[in-house]
């Protein structure tokens, strides 16, 4: 699955000028502070903007001053950089690789002095947006938003028509507002908005995941895996798929025989996970299980989720796992990437050894300018180096030795 084709970002945190092509499985590697988290935060920022609007999404990150790139030289005269985010995706009915859906957001601050002798300086947030997509086969539509003005353009062969659309508040995003409109391309904009609003950053809270959770008919796996027991209980409705999950769990967790479930009384029906382990009498509850065991079950629940969001992020996916299991883990991630596009961060050369060149995104930080360099190694160069080193060194060793970049200075 590859709904997000390309992400271009300018002046967002350390991302001074970055363009990244994305595949079904994308693994980010690089030292701390190289921009991996900032790249993922761009997608989260768009999701927050859809749900809450532009201003609140910025406030959540400390405001425009904390979001805007700060690595430029003030003596250059640049005092008000525009932040630009350009997305190429494939989510509407008639989009394809050569004619993708496109969304462009630019925003910046504007300071004005009020009239009068004691005039005060007031700051305003300004933005422009542009959507481009095909409404029907063979036709294109572009929606441009500047301030509160919305212009709709449609192309029929060589003929282009433009008309004014609904007005928006100057501080509201069309990405948030237009999906609620029946006309004006609202359905297409909604599909673009959903790509980001459903983006899941999976970060397991082991303490919460160990606890029993309330039973639900069709639960959604929480981003912190706090409803892990209920979700695993839900997954066992598909007996064949659940047995595959258990086979993977046995390969990752030494001594695991079977996953059991026990109902727990209380105000509402809840369920608890118990593990049958070889050589031990009785069952082990998740509260008694190791950190790595809980993380493994949570990650497998994510991989076997039958209805995942279009985009899924997992930071430090190798945390708590023995390198021995990485072959199976990467194999399952590729299988799951048919249903959700993965953006994953890792510091493990052993895991990177299991990847192909087009799955690896190397990240670096230019210490002189403060800007991230992503990708720091061209995929074609990585592929050529991988071929030359075949049988002697894997991608993980090439990266670890600094041959691909993306290592601390």
């Amino acid at each position: 699955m590859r709904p997000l084709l390309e992400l271009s970002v300018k002046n967002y945190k350390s991302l001074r000028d970055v363009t990244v092509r994305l595949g079904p499985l994308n693994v980010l590697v690089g030292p701390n502070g190289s921009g991996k988290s900032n790249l993922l935060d761009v997608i989260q920022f768009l999701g927050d903007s859809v749900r809450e609007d532009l201003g609140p999404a910025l406030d959540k990150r400390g405001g425009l001053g904390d979001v805007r790139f700060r690595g430029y030289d003030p003596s250059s005269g640049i005092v008000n950089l525009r932040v630009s985010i350009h997305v190429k995706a494939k989510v509407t009915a008639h989009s394809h690789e050569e004619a993708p859906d496109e969304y462009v957001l630019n925003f910046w601050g504007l300071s004005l002095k009020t009239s009068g002798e004691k005039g005060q300086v007031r700051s305003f947030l300004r933005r422009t947006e542009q959507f481009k997509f095909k409404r029907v086969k063979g036709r294109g539509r572009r929606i441009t938003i500047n301030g509160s003005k919305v212009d709709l353009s449609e192309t029929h062969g060589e003929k282009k028509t433009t008309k004014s659309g609904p007005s928006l508040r100057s501080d509201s995003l069309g990405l948030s507002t237009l999906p609620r409109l029946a006309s004006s391309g609202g359905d297409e904009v909604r599909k673009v908005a959903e790509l980001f609003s459903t983006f899941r950053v999976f970060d397991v809270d082991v303490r919460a995941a160990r606890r029993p959770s309330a039973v639900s008919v069709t639960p959604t796996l929480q981003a912190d895996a706090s409803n892990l027991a209920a979700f695993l209980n839900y997954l066992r409705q598909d007996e064949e798929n659940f047995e595959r999950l258990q086979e993977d769990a046995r390969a990752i967790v030494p001594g695991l025989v079977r996953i059991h479930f026990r109902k727990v009384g209380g105000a509402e029906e809840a369920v608890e996970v118990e593990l049958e382990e070889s050589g031990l009498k009785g069952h082990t509850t998740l509260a008694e299980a190791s950190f790595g065991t809980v993380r493994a079950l949570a990650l497998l629940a994510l991989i076997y989720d039958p209805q995942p969001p279009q985009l899924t992020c997992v930071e430090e996916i190798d945390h708590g796992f023995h390198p021995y299991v990485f072959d199976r883990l990467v194999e399952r991630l590729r299988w799951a990437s048919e249903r959700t596009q993965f953006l994953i961060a890792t510091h493990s050369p052993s895991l990177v050894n299991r990847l192909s060149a087009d799955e690896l995104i190397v990240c670096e930080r230019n210490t002189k300018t403060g800007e991230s360099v992503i990708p720091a190694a061209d995929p074609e160069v990585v592929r050529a180096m991988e071929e030359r080193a075949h049988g002697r060194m894997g991608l993980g060793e090439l990266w670890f030795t600094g041959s691909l970049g993306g290592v601390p200075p």
Side-chain angles (χ1 to χ4, degrees):
M1 188 176 187
R2 189 174 168 237
L4 185 56
L5 304 178
E6 185 177 286
L7 184 62
S8 297
V9 187
K10 292 182 179 180
N11 300 321
Y12 186 94
K13 297 186 177 181
S14 68
L15 309 179
R16 178 69 176 87
D17 190 354
V18 164
T19 296
V20 182
R21 293 282 296 175
L22 298 169
L25 173 60
N26 308 274
V27 182
L28 306 173
V29 299
N32 293 331
S34 59
K36 302 186 298 296
S37 295
N38 289 342
L39 187 67
L40 298 175
D41 188 58
V42 171
I43 302 174
Q44 283 187 287
F45 171 75
L46 290 174
D48 291 339
S49 296
V50 171
R51 291 182 291 267
E52 305 170 33
D53 226 329
L54 179 60
L58 286 171
D59 291 341
K60 183 178 289 187
R61 291 160 176 80
L64 179 60
D66 284 353
V67 166
R68 190 168 50 201
F69 178 69
R70 297 181 290 114
Y72 61 87
D73 181 0
S75 65
S76 67
I78 302 175
V79 296
N80 211 357
L81 293 174
R82 291 192 178 199
V83 179
S84 177
I85 302 172
H86 185 175
V87 173
K88 292 183 180 180
K90 190 172 62 173
V91 292
T92 65
H94 302 290
S95 61
H96 51 82
E97 297 276 343
E98 288 71 35
D101 305 307
E102 295 188 54
Y103 173 66
V104 181
L105 168 64
N106 297 294
F107 59 90
W108 64 98
L110 181 65
S111 297
L112 295 176
K113 186 176 181 180
T114 58
S115 60
E117 294 183 2
K118 298 182 180 180
Q120 296 179 335
V121 176
R122 295 185 60 189
S123 297
F124 299 89
L125 183 63
R126 288 290 180 264
R127 61 93 181 91
T128 63
E129 292 174 273
Q130 187 177 90
F131 300 87
K132 184 179 179 180
F133 48 82
K134 288 180 175 291
R135 288 294 304 277
V136 294
K137 190 174 182 179
R139 295 182 179 181
R141 167 158 290 201
R142 186 189 302 270
I143 300 177
T144 302
I145 302 171
N146 190 346
S148 61
K149 185 181 179 183
V150 179
D151 291 325
L152 311 173
S153 299
E154 194 158 356
T155 303
H156 304 261
E158 298 297 322
K159 185 179 178 182
K160 180 179 178 180
T161 59
T162 302
K163 64 179 181 178
S164 295
S167 295
L168 300 180
R169 292 200 335 255
S170 59
D171 59 346
S172 290
L173 279 189
L175 188 66
S176 174
T177 306
L178 289 177
R180 297 192 289 270
L181 305 176
S183 58
S184 307
D187 186 55
E188 286 80 6
V189 175
R190 177 183 57 78
K191 291 179 180 178
V192 175
E194 286 178 348
L195 179 62
F196 303 108
S197 63
T198 60
F199 175 56
R200 178 168 59 192
V201 180
F202 197 63
D203 185 13
V204 180
D205 181 342
V206 172
R207 180 178 296 181
R210 283 180 164 138
R211 293 194 289 261
S213 49
V215 174
S216 176
V217 177
T218 54
T220 298
L221 180 62
Q222 297 300 310
D224 61 357
S226 56
N227 66 334
L228 177 60
F231 194 76
L232 286 171
N233 184 57
Y234 163 69
L235 291 180
R236 70 170 174 161
Q237 295 178 15
D238 185 337
E239 294 181 4
E240 184 177 346
N241 228 26
F242 190 71
E243 183 51 39
R244 291 196 190 100
L245 183 153
Q246 289 197 107
E247 288 176 7
D248 289 334
R250 293 184 193 108
I252 295 174
V253 180
L256 178 65
V257 176
R258 181 165 294 279
I259 301 171
H260 295 272
F261 299 89
R262 185 175 70 87
K263 291 184 179 181
V264 179
E268 57 182 342
E269 185 181 2
V271 65
E272 178 178 56
V273 169
E274 295 183 337
L275 306 178
E276 180 183 343
E277 299 180 272
S278 60
L280 298 180
K281 294 181 179 180
H283 294 162
T284 302
T285 66
L286 279 192
E288 301 167 311
S290 71
F291 175 93
T293 295
V294 178
R295 270 190 59 86
L297 292 176
L299 187 57
L300 288 173
L302 172 78
I303 288 172
Y304 279 87
D305 187 347
Q307 295 182 312
Q310 295 181 79
L311 291 173
T312 297
C313 163
V314 187
E315 292 209 58
E316 304 302 335
I317 193 169
D318 52 279
H319 188 39
F321 294 132
H322 192 282
Y324 181 80
V325 309
F326 289 159
D327 280 324
R328 182 179 291 260
L329 178 59
V330 171
E331 180 184 336
R332 291 298 180 265
L333 287 170
R334 287 175 179 148
W335 172 72
S337 69
E338 297 176 4
R339 300 187 304 280
T340 181
Q341 187 175 22
F342 282 107
L343 291 89
I344 290 168
T346 184
H347 283 123
S348 171
S350 295
L351 188 144
V352 175
N353 268 339
R354 276 72 175 180
L355 303 175
S356 62
D358 55 0
E359 293 169 336
L360 182 65
I361 300 175
V362 181
C363 307
E364 283 185 345
R365 186 77 168 265
N366 185 323
T367 56
K368 292 183 178 180
T369 64
E371 62 186 284
S372 296
V373 182
I374 307 175
D378 185 281
E380 291 300 324
V381 174
V382 175
R383 190 174 293 108
M385 293 181 69
E386 181 185 31
E387 291 175 357
R388 288 197 299 270
H390 183 67
R392 294 181 292 109
M393 297 179 73
L395 282 179
E397 283 91 359
L398 288 171
W399 165 52
F400 189 73
T401 60
S403 301
L404 304 179
V407 295

